[in-house]
Amino acid sequence: MKTTFLDFEQPIAELEAKIEELTSMQSNSDPSGDGKGVDLSDEIARLRKKSATLIKETYAKLNAWQISQVARHPQRPYSLDYIREIFTDFNELHGDRYFADDPAIVGGMARLAGEPVMVIGHQKGRDTRERQYRNFGMPRPEGYRKALRLMRLAEKFQLPVFTFIDTPGAYPGIDAEARGQSEAIARNLYVMAELKTPIICTVIGEGGSGGALAIGVGDVVTMLQYATYSVISPEGCASILWKSADKAPLAAETLGITANRLTSLGLVDKVVAEPLGAAHRAPEVMFESLRASLAESLAEVRERSLDVLLNQRFSRLMSYGKFKETRAR
Amino acid sequence: MSWFQKIIPPKIQRRVQAAKKVVPEGLWSKCDSCEEVLYRAELEKNLNVCPKCGHHNRIGARQRLELFLDAGSAQEVGANVLPVDTLKFKDSRKYSERLTEATKEVEESDALLVMQGTLKGQAMVAAAFEFRFMGGSMGSVVGERFARGVSAAMEARAPFVCFAASGGARMQEGLMSLMQMAKTSAALTHLSAYRLPFISVLTDPTMGGVSASFAMLGDVIIAEPNALIGFAGPRVIEQTVREKLPEGFQRSEFLLEHGAVDMIVDRRELRTVIAQLCAQMTHKDAPAA
């Protein structure tokens, strides 16, 4: 598949176009394949190297706004990609048992390195039709209630839960409100705080606000290098506080939504490095490093007894927040 | 300045302004709903409920709690927890400036006030959002005071009541504010383990991250009449679905109809109803009327 280039990747795009041009020139000039055509392979190799360097340089100094575009890249691997590549024997389970099945959240049982687990994730769509079907990864209450049901199931059968976060946010729609979007999110926060089985959360793309957090409370919170996690989208924040969506780059910077920034604030435990030029350029490399990270996290939480696990999870939740304390009055 | 103020000598003008300060918002107040001009003292005596049309005008957190708990019983919890600007957040203005200004204007140090006291003789911890403090937005201080309120309730073996009035999470604290949703919800799991009631009272408005966390986790959820309650704001929804929102959408009555709240209670009845519910859940004798 051809790579889709982001705005800030235009120099890379031009270089890649040139490489492609030369490659096709080379094969056209030598249709018989007898080696009598023009030899451009040195030039192509030189440009390939240059392109790799350019990608490396560009990605070494991405700002928060650029990272948020990478996090939303249309070719970025989605939850089902990770689930299918990292886990085996995935059986998808559907529906909240009350109202409907929400395709914006997927989940089911699977195995990680042979061990049975529960996986749950937001799911975005690849093409226009699927995007619509998945509602752009924006769940309705039934999606969160399906996730809740699967978590309860995991608790009952002592399966560790892996969640994959990738959503612009919970769906802001009339039907979603009528069916209790707030309650659905709130209930998940409550249950995840006390669920008697390990929970390992990974932000793989966009961590959009309450809709992300609703499957994001756990024992280990991991972010991929170019994922973002924010209380509000940079565009939303800009239009409220700066009264102009054009200020989104500034808002992205100010909100501190990147993996590195959130790690330094103590809100994220681990950052998994992405391959050169982000996950979509070499998905199989990404799958492999995330697989290793998840296995390691599982081994870590497995060492804790259930009491210790729950106490640590609770203390961690209670430790969230920065304030000053004067002497009690 | 009116023509009359213009003609009075400067010396008297100063005195007029000084006298004004004593009653900063005037003696009279207009009901937000029926626009009836009301005598402020009388409106306050009526808990800011319009005596004419019954509209529930917003009420400050301190006034709310002092009138809710038994007279003279209230003691503040977590007043020493104060906000800091960790991100050095600056939009059109600095977050630190907004904090200073809100503190001065509202005379509260953040958007949540917690009091411990009694309600018709029963031990009780109650929290109330101050909507005038940055739209009642939930940041680290709100989360911490909420958690301390829950701890105080557990220590005193008392029910916990929270009056929500908030636009949601406080953007100026970034992801830290989102995490307050998880923190407050988690705190309630411990209250629950003690079999202590949590009563959530939703007042106008209860939106976003506050609505999508502890506010919807009450053992009993009460709404004041005609309060705006929801996850996404009406404007965001309108922009997303590109259709007009139905009449009364996201109002208390809509939520009751859809099964999201237990009951709608007039502010003037809240003391009685909450005292009865708490006594029932904790197996105490019926409170005196």
Side-chain angles (χ1 to χ4, degrees):
Chain A
M1 192 178 18
K2 259 182 147 174
T3 308
T4 306
F5 293 95
L6 298 166
D7 282 351
F8 65 87
E9 292 178 323
Q10 278 322 303
I12 304 170
E14 280 162 25
L15 208 52
E16 293 284 333
K18 193 143 187 208
I19 293 170
E20 203 176 318
E21 200 183 320
L22 290 182
T23 314
S24 77
M25 251 169 79
Q26 166 131 346
S27 52
N28 287 345
S29 75
D30 184 16
S32 51
D34 56 4
K36 281 184 183 153
V38 201
D39 185 15
L40 296 169
S41 50
D42 283 357
E43 179 65 2
I44 292 171
R46 195 182 65 80
L47 287 180
R48 285 229 165 95
K49 210 172 148 200
K50 196 172 163 193
S51 170
T53 312
L54 192 58
I55 293 174
K56 200 170 166 186
E57 281 169 6
T58 307
Y59 273 75
K61 46 174 200 236
L62 290 187
N63 62 36
W65 176 238
Q66 290 166 334
I67 289 176
S68 74
Q69 288 164 60
V70 177
R72 299 170 185 169
H73 195 287
Q75 290 166 324
R76 200 169 167 82
Y78 295 148
S79 290
L80 281 175
D81 301 317
Y82 288 106
I83 291 169
R84 288 182 183 134
E85 296 298 327
I86 294 177
F87 301 85
T88 54
D89 301 356
F90 174 57
N91 283 302
E92 189 175 349
L93 304 175
H94 293 274
D96 67 347
R97 297 288 190 273
Y98 298 110
F99 182 76
D101 182 45
D102 184 351
I105 286 191
V106 294
M109 285 181 265
R111 285 178 186 272
L112 178 67
E115 194 178 339
V117 301
M118 184 69 79
V119 294
I120 298 167
H122 299 107
Q123 182 63 30
K124 292 181 175 177
R126 222 28 102 188
D127 54 31
T128 310
R129 225 175 105 193
E130 204 204 350
R131 272 187 205 119
Q132 213 151 40
Y133 172 66
R134 301 287 182 188
N135 199 29
F136 304 88
M138 295 187 288
R140 293 181 163 86
E142 46 274 22
Y144 294 115
R145 290 179 182 137
K146 168 166 71 178
L148 182 69
R149 183 174 73 83
L150 299 187
M151 288 189 264
R152 286 296 192 200
L153 207 58
E155 182 180 50
K156 179 175 175 182
F157 296 106
Q158 294 297 288
L159 308 173
V161 178
F162 289 89
T163 71
F164 298 94
I165 295 160
D166 189 15
T167 178
Y171 182 60
I174 296 175
D175 56 339
E177 292 288 324
R179 290 195 293 276
Q181 188 73 289
S182 289
E183 193 274 345
I185 295 171
R187 187 64 52 198
N188 284 15
L189 302 180
Y190 183 95
V191 169
M192 292 182 95
E194 59 168 15
L195 196 78
K196 295 182 183 64
T197 191
I199 307 173
I200 293 162
C201 311
T202 309
V203 187
I204 56 170
E206 249 185 308
S209 194
L213 185 65
I215 59 166
V217 178
D219 303 298
V220 183
V221 178
T222 299
M223 274 180 87
L224 300 191
Q225 187 180 359
Y226 301 121
T228 57
Y229 201 175
S230 181
V231 61
I232 183 168
S233 71
E235 293 91 334
C237 180
S239 62
I240 295 172
L241 291 181
W242 280 270
K243 315 273 178 235
S244 153
D246 297 344
K247 299 280 189 202
L250 188 57
E253 205 61 58
T254 315
L255 281 166
I257 61 178
T258 62
N260 285 337
R261 188 84 173 87
L262 294 170
T263 310
S264 70
L265 289 168
L267 295 171
V268 167
D269 304 304
K270 295 182 182 181
V271 180
V272 180
E274 298 197 18
L276 181 63
H280 62 279
R281 284 204 164 82
E284 57 298 332
V285 179
M286 188 73 254
F287 298 142
E288 203 39 57
S289 25
L290 184 57
R291 181 209 313 274
S293 166
L294 294 181
E296 182 193 89
S297 296
L298 182 59
E300 279 165 28
V301 295
R302 279 284 191 226
E303 279 175 23
R304 304 173 197 165
S305 69
L306 187 60
D307 276 355
V308 171
L309 183 82
L310 294 178
N311 281 335
Q312 285 190 1
R313 190 188 302 160
F314 187 77
S315 311
R316 172 213 181 84
L317 290 168
M318 288 301 120
S319 75
Y320 285 146
K322 292 267 198 300
F323 49 84
K324 63 185 173 194
E325 209 168 346
T326 57
R327 235 179 316 158
R329 269 191 256 165
Chain B
M1 209 182 271
S2 73
W3 66 270
F4 175 70
Q5 281 170 314
K6 275 182 199 155
I7 56 165
I8 43 177
K11 214 171 171 184
I12 302 175
Q13 222 175 61
R14 264 203 305 276
R15 281 188 55 190
V16 170
Q17 274 164 6
K20 244 184 166 175
K21 258 194 170 157
V22 182
V23 203
E25 289 171 289
L27 275 169
W28 299 91
S29 177
K30 204 157 74 173
C31 171
D32 289 340
S33 177
C34 68
E35 304 204 335
E36 177 81 5
V37 176
L38 303 159
Y39 186 44
R40 179 167 283 277
E42 197 172 0
L43 185 64
E44 277 175 18
K45 221 175 75 189
N46 209 30
L47 305 179
N48 280 12
V49 178
C50 175
K52 184 94 186 238
C53 72
H55 177 69
H56 283 51
N57 292 284
R58 285 176 190 161
I59 184 168
R62 197 163 289 272
Q63 192 195 355
R64 155 92 70 183
L65 293 183
E66 277 167 1
L67 293 168
F68 174 70
L69 293 168
D70 294 339
S73 76
Q75 285 211 317
E76 203 172 331
V77 176
N80 57 320
V81 177
L82 299 169
V84 289
D85 176 18
T86 314
L87 295 179
K88 303 272 172 266
F89 196 99
K90 182 172 178 267
D91 47 90
S92 53
R93 296 185 50 206
K94 285 184 181 161
Y95 176 38
S96 55
E97 280 172 22
R98 286 187 196 266
L99 283 172
T100 312
E101 190 192 87
T103 306
K104 210 169 123 193
E105 222 168 74
V106 186
E107 295 180 331
E108 293 295 348
S109 53
D110 211 306
L112 188 75
L113 186 66
V114 184
M115 300 260 193
Q116 179 162 13
T118 57
L119 173 67
K120 299 196 183 235
Q122 296 177 68
M124 188 78 50
V125 178
F129 276 75
E130 178 53 69
F131 187 74
R132 288 176 307 147
F133 195 103
M134 297 187 74
S137 56
M138 176 159 70
S140 297
V141 171
V142 169
E144 181 65 15
R145 286 186 186 169
F146 186 95
R148 289 189 188 197
V150 170
S151 296
M154 281 158 59
E155 260 170 57
R157 297 287 190 275
F160 185 65
V161 181
C162 182
F163 299 90
S166 172
R170 189 173 295 170
M171 284 176 279
Q172 290 87 349
E173 292 189 20
L175 195 68
M176 198 68 88
S177 66
L178 188 74
M179 293 306 163
Q180 303 310 309
M181 293 170 66
K183 178 172 177 169
T184 51
S185 303
L188 292 174
T189 63
H190 277 206
L191 188 73
S192 195
Y194 274 55
R195 289 187 200 285
L196 291 168
F198 170 48
I199 309 250
S200 179
V201 184
L202 313 180
T203 80
D204 187 58
T206 299
M207 303 300 293
V210 166
S211 158
S213 59
F214 63 85
M216 281 295 170
L217 294 173
D219 294 308
V220 175
I221 305 178
I222 299 173
E224 283 193 345
N226 199 39
L228 185 71
I229 303 158
F231 177 66
R235 223 165 17 133
V236 174
I237 297 174
E238 231 161 20
Q239 281 164 8
T240 308
V241 303
R242 291 171 204 283
E243 55 181 291
K244 199 126 180 66
L245 302 178
E247 179 78 21
F249 180 64
Q250 291 184 318
R251 293 286 167 183
S252 305
E253 297 69 18
F254 174 89
L255 272 86
L256 184 71
E257 193 185 317
H258 285 83
V261 300
D262 288 285
M263 59 213 296
I264 295 174
V265 178
D266 188 297
R267 191 178 290 157
R268 292 161 292 188
E269 300 298 323
L270 279 174
R271 262 175 64 86
T272 305
V273 173
I274 293 175
Q276 286 177 357
L277 289 169
C278 286
Q280 285 158 351
M281 284 187 272
T282 54
H283 296 264
K284 290 201 170 71
D285 292 341

